[in-house]
Amino acid sequence: MHFGGVKAVESITFTLGEGELRCLIGPNGAGKSTFFRCLTKIYRPNAGKIYFRGRDVTSIATHEMARLGVGIKTQVPSVFDGLTVHENLTLAASARHRGREVGRMVDEVVERLSLQAVLGARLDRLSHGERQWIELAIVITSKPSLILLDEPTAGMTHAEVEHTATLIRELNKSAALIVVEHDMQFIRSIATHVTVFHEGRIFLEESAEKVLHDERVGEIYLGKGAFAK
Amino acid sequence: MIGRLSIDGQMLAVVTLSTILLLILPQVFEIDTILQLTLNFSFSILALSLAFVWGYAGIFSFGQAAFFGIGGYAYAATAINLGDSTPAIVAGVLVPTLFAALFGYFVFYARLTKIYVAVITLVMTLILYKFMGQTAKPDYMIGNARLGGYNGIPAVPPINVPGQPHLFAGPDEMFYIAGFSLLAVYVLLRWILGTRFGKVIIGMRENEKRMELLGFDTRLYKLLAFVVAAAVAGFGGVVFTNWNAFIDPHVFQLAFSAQPIIWVMIGGLGTLAGPILGTFILSTLSLELGVQKALDVNLLLGAIFTFFVLLVPQGIIPTVRNLLENREAAASNKTDGTTESRG
């Protein structure tokens, strides 16, 4: 995937198993978010192929990808600002459900994420952390089988981060997840495998423990020599 | 807010009050006021069509008046040819609907951005203005109906009892037909906004990308909203042509196309009642100023528009609603404070 002369993602071979939970790490500009945008078809890759459950989905549209079961929580919360939390969730539920199922699905997610207190609040009146949480709820309500989470804990309190980790582990029982994060403690708490992105390519793919102790990964994040000090 | 309509109390009150008003007004006012109100009803239907497509679906259609004009022409041509208004009303709604479906398909499936949609809909209107203006030659006929260039089509047959062209509507009957048509369009749009389709288009207005990420084909929903609005505008054109017994290309002019935008903005974008209010205020004001000739109408309307854009950007209805909500919230906080201090 390139933008003019800038190659944002290049020569990536990435496979995710059914029901797997993978974390993506890498410094800013490594290509993680662009990779997500390719997977959701917001961007159409200039070259290469994307397969979802054996089907070539390279040239399908964003809404078709969503209908196949790919949901995303973006880095900057993408929600319906002028609508209430309940209306946000109703819209999300009506993407997959009809009639009474919509209300049932909304109630289930409200219960699961304990959103009762903010149900009538408009999204533009909520804090950044709350908006993140609601976007997560929107994604869950649409019942995807592959969930992409781009920095899900950004702007959250410590308690919310812990809650998010628990939720992700729970979601992983019924869906595969790819999580972009920078918080190493959070990554350790949720993932067994980590993929490291660097300059638009996959730099390393290993178990969480190995990756988090790899000096080269530290150098990518902090610069050469950082570990030696 | 996402609109809801089960026939709820509020809707029932609106329908009841409007019905009473519509039945009483012709007994109270003189014929010139009745005619002015009938014109306002037809313009309000046009305003509602823009309120729907722009205020709820987020599609800024600068050329909404084009569908109004197409509806008017389709009615006039069909009524002249068939001598009966019933198929003419159907044509007045169907022709702009089909035109919008074809035009909208290319616009929305090409994924034109908002600004280009506004520009291209305006250009479409101006092309229609030029085209209809050059139809003065006798070659330009639809059956027996001569298009007449800038002179338009005169002596358009009025609405009649179906199958009985000799039983046609006079000014009083036309007032009732136009008034109840506006009420019906209002109820219909409120109902649509309460359905899944209505909620989807509101979601699209709020965040189109998120709607796609949820699996909604926004191109299709935009096209559908555009088509519904065109059908409503076309119906407004039918009522207008009946009021006027005449239609000419001025309905495709830039000045005419800009008017519904001003009505909607002043009444309140994102509401249905606001644009009706805006239409009534500005249309009546235009007429009064035109009669008195003390001030240039366009100058004063421009000043009012500037005032609203700068000082009341949300329009009348949302501003009043916000004021009331804030007062209510302040009163509620005050009560809570009193209760706490007592506690």
Side-chain angles (χ1 to χ4, degrees), chain B residues 241-307:
Chain B
T241 308
N242 263 283
W243 170 83
N244 220 6
F246 173 75
I247 182 90
D248 72 356
H250 97 276
V251 289
F252 301 119
Q253 264 182 333
L254 176 62
F256 192 82
S257 297
Q259 281 191 70
I261 295 165
I262 300 173
W263 299 334
V264 171
M265 278 193 75
I266 287 177
L269 191 63
T271 67
L272 291 181
I276 298 175
L277 183 67
T279 307
F280 269 74
I281 292 172
L282 291 179
S283 182
T284 310
L285 197 66
S286 297
L287 184 84
E288 290 300 320
L289 289 169
V291 170
Q292 290 178 9
K293 291 182 179 168
L295 271 171
D296 182 81
V297 177
N298 289 331
L299 196 70
L300 192 78
L301 288 182
I304 293 172
F305 182 61
T306 310
F307 170 82

Side-chain angles (χ1 to χ4, degrees), chain B:
Chain B
M1 289 281 285
I2 288 180
R4 278 183 207 92
L5 180 84
S6 43
I7 295 292
D8 55 19
Q10 193 191 357
M11 176 57 77
L12 203 62
V14 168
V15 171
T16 310
L17 193 68
S18 305
T19 305
I20 293 169
L21 272 174
L22 285 171
L23 293 173
I24 289 174
L25 288 176
Q27 322 303 325
V28 178
F29 289 121
E30 298 294 327
I31 186 70
D32 53 344
T33 310
I34 293 301
L35 287 172
Q36 173 63 26
L37 286 172
T38 309
L39 175 65
N40 288 354
F41 292 148
S42 75
F43 282 167
S44 294
I45 295 173
L46 170 61
L48 278 182
S49 78
L50 184 65
F52 179 77
V53 75
W54 183 24
Y56 289 93
I59 301 164
F60 181 42
S61 169
F62 207 134
Q64 203 58 21
F67 304 117
F68 183 83
I70 293 171
Y73 269 98
Y75 173 84
T78 315
I80 288 170
N81 278 292
L82 302 180
D84 191 321
S85 67
T86 312
I89 294 170
V90 175
V93 175
L94 206 59
V95 174
T97 304
L98 294 174
F99 184 83
L102 188 67
F103 181 81
Y105 174 80
F106 290 107
V107 169
F108 298 115
Y109 278 74
R111 289 194 180 277
L112 293 187
T113 55
K114 286 183 179 185
I115 185 72
Y116 288 107
V117 172
V119 170
I120 204 164
T121 47
L122 175 62
V123 169
M124 167 195 71
T125 312
L126 298 179
I127 289 173
L128 282 169
Y129 175 63
K130 280 284 172 197
F131 176 77
M132 295 312 291
Q134 53 89 50
T135 57
K137 289 180 189 169
D139 308 346
Y140 289 100
M141 304 273 287
I142 300 176
N144 298 324
R146 196 174 152 181
L147 294 179
Y150 289 111
N151 293 324
I153 306 177
V156 178
I159 287 180
N160 58 266
V161 175
Q164 297 183 324
H166 59 286
L167 290 177
F168 55 84
D172 276 357
E173 290 83 13
M174 201 52 226
F175 170 86
Y176 293 125
I177 291 169
F180 283 108
S181 295
L182 172 61
L183 186 59
V185 168
Y186 175 81
V187 172
L188 175 75
L189 292 181
R190 279 281 302 270
W191 173 74
I192 290 175
L193 290 168
T195 63
R196 180 177 182 270
F197 168 68
K199 288 170 185 174
V200 170
I201 64 167
I202 292 169
M204 216 164 57
R205 174 195 71 189
E206 292 294 321
N207 190 337
E208 190 180 336
K209 187 53 72 188
R210 172 47 76 192
M211 289 304 280
E212 287 189 19
L213 289 169
L214 284 172
F216 294 100
D217 185 354
T218 56
R219 300 166 304 179
L220 176 66
Y221 283 99
K222 278 182 178 177
L223 178 61
L224 290 173
F226 191 65
V227 166
V228 168
V232 170
F235 183 57
V238 169
V239 177
F240 171 75
T241 308
N242 263 283
W243 170 83
N244 220 6
F246 173 75
I247 182 90
D248 72 356
H250 97 276
V251 289
F252 301 119
Q253 264 182 333
L254 176 62
F256 192 82
S257 297
Q259 281 191 70
I261 295 165
I262 300 173
W263 299 334
V264 171
M265 278 193 75
I266 287 177
L269 191 63
T271 67
L272 291 181
I276 298 175
L277 183 67
T279 307
F280 269 74
I281 292 172
L282 291 179
S283 182
T284 310
L285 197 66
S286 297
L287 184 84
E288 290 300 320
L289 289 169
V291 170
Q292 290 178 9
K293 291 182 179 168
L295 271 171
D296 182 81
V297 177
N298 289 331
L299 196 70
L300 192 78
L301 288 182
I304 293 172
F305 182 61
T306 310
F307 170 82
F308 268 86
V309 168
L310 294 176
L311 298 174
V312 198
Q314 287 184 306
I316 297 170
I317 297 273
T319 304
V320 170
R321 193 165 54 198
N322 287 347
L323 280 174
L324 291 175
E325 278 176 7
N326 290 342
R327 265 181 66 175
E328 209 172 285
S332 155
N333 287 342
K334 210 173 166 183
T335 314
D336 289 348
T338 316
T339 315
E340 274 173 31
S341 61
R342 278 176 189 164

Side-chain angles (χ1 to χ4, degrees), chain A residues 40-41 44 55-62 64-66 68:
Chain A
T40 49
K41 316 313 302 292
R44 193 162 288 188
R55 178 183 163 184
D56 182 357
V57 293
T58 315
S59 57
I60 70 172
T62 303
E64 290 172 304
M65 200 64 188
L68 286 176

